[in-house]
Amino acid sequence: MKISGDMPLSVELHDVKLQLLGDHQRQNAVTASCTALCLRELGWNVSNASIRAGLEKTQLPGRSQFLTQDEASVLGLDGASTILIDGAHTEASAKALSDVIKTVEPEGPVALIVGMASDKEHLAFAAQILSGRRPDVVLLTETGIAGGTARSMPASSLRDIWTGAALGHGIECADIGAIAGDEAPNVNIDHLTPTAGTDKPAPMLIGCGAAPFSCDLMKAASRLLRRADGGGAARGGLICVT
């Protein structure tokens, strides 16, 4: 990395392993490194080893965070699916989240669980997510915000918005209705499977979870993904909660 201008600075680090995923986090790493070099030029004792340690050890819980098997088991999940949790709620952060999902190239189907505040750009958020790796299942939910539910967007309203966004992208949807507890609706598997001998993808399943959000909705999503994957245990798919 070289900085030209009033303070010509440089640093060379090889094989840096960032824990934060996404192109935006790489740019953040560059910005942080530039700041460290500027501080060094001003007299701070910042070694190359310290810059590397800062880059490699930095974590941001709830931002592109993949749960470990132990963390998933604490939530009562069986570990069949990979769990990704994020705080995306704007169009820009939806783009970043979509890029992360594309980067990890998940095997098997993808489920998205979404809850949002009422004052966000819901349609732009949905359109940005759907322009990337298309989820096989979308479950809308509600959660408390700042200790209350006044700003929470109703799950049924989010479902209508996501259905409209899907149609705008030429994505066929199948409404699976409401999900109570951790029981996945008894959806006909034919809806989950592409038509044999055609390039037409299966409809995207869309439904509403019980309010407020709980881990039960992730369990229901896991069951839906197993059906979408033909019951295969080897590929549990990806569940993204944001």
Side-chain angles (χ1 to χ4, degrees):
M1 182 185 301
K2 294 182 179 180
I3 305 174
S4 59
D6 296 336
M7 294 189 295
L9 310 169
S10 65
V11 65
E12 189 169 336
L13 303 170
H14 294 278
D15 300 321
V16 177
K17 297 177 175 61
L18 301 179
Q19 296 195 52
L20 302 177
L21 301 177
D23 290 336
H24 60 300
Q25 296 295 1
R26 280 192 284 274
Q27 184 58 53
N28 287 340
V30 170
T31 303
S33 300
C34 290
T35 302
L37 295 179
C38 290
L39 291 174
R40 177 192 289 176
E41 180 70 12
L42 294 174
W44 291 54
N45 182 19
V46 184
S47 66
N48 286 3
S50 295
I51 296 175
R52 174 185 290 276
L55 294 175
E56 294 193 334
K57 294 182 179 180
T58 297
Q59 300 183 61
L60 190 57
R63 279 295 190 188
S64 301
Q65 178 185 358
F66 285 88
L67 298 189
T68 65
Q69 288 286 348
D70 288 342
E71 290 167 337
S73 65
V74 168
L75 297 176
L77 302 171
D78 58 13
S81 300
T82 300
I83 309 297
L84 169 62
I85 58 175
D86 198 74
H89 58 275
T90 65
E91 184 175 6
S93 57
K95 172 65 165 60
L97 177 58
S98 181
D99 288 345
V100 167
I101 294 174
K102 180 180 178 181
T103 298
V104 300
E105 295 181 347
E107 290 189 357
V110 174
L112 192 67
I113 300 176
V114 181
M116 298 183 73
S118 58
D119 57 351
K120 304 303 176 184
E121 295 293 333
H122 309 104
L123 183 59
F125 181 91
Q128 188 62 253
I129 292 287
L130 293 175
S131 66
R133 164 67 188 267
R134 197 208 80 172
D136 300 271
V137 179
V138 176
L139 303 179
L140 292 315
T141 186
E142 301 169 24
T143 186
I145 299 171
T149 59
R151 287 182 57 220
S152 182
M153 185 71 168
S156 58
S157 298
L158 283 175
R159 179 192 57 200
D160 294 342
I161 291 169
W162 276 77
T163 300
L167 293 175
H169 280 72
I171 300 173
E172 183 183 355
C173 294
D175 190 344
I176 60 175
I179 296 176
D182 61 359
E183 290 301 320
N186 187 23
V187 182
N188 189 329
I189 293 179
D190 291 342
H191 287 292
L192 300 166
T193 307
T195 304
T198 72
D199 294 329
K200 183 180 180 181
M204 184 178 77
L205 304 183
I206 189 165
C208 291
F213 168 80
S214 75
C215 298
D216 285 345
L217 196 56
M218 286 190 279
K219 297 175 185 176
S222 181
R223 291 189 173 96
L224 283 169
L225 289 189
R226 280 200 292 269
R227 294 182 192 173
D229 201 28
R235 301 186 308 159
L238 172 72
I239 299 174
C240 176
V241 184
T242 187

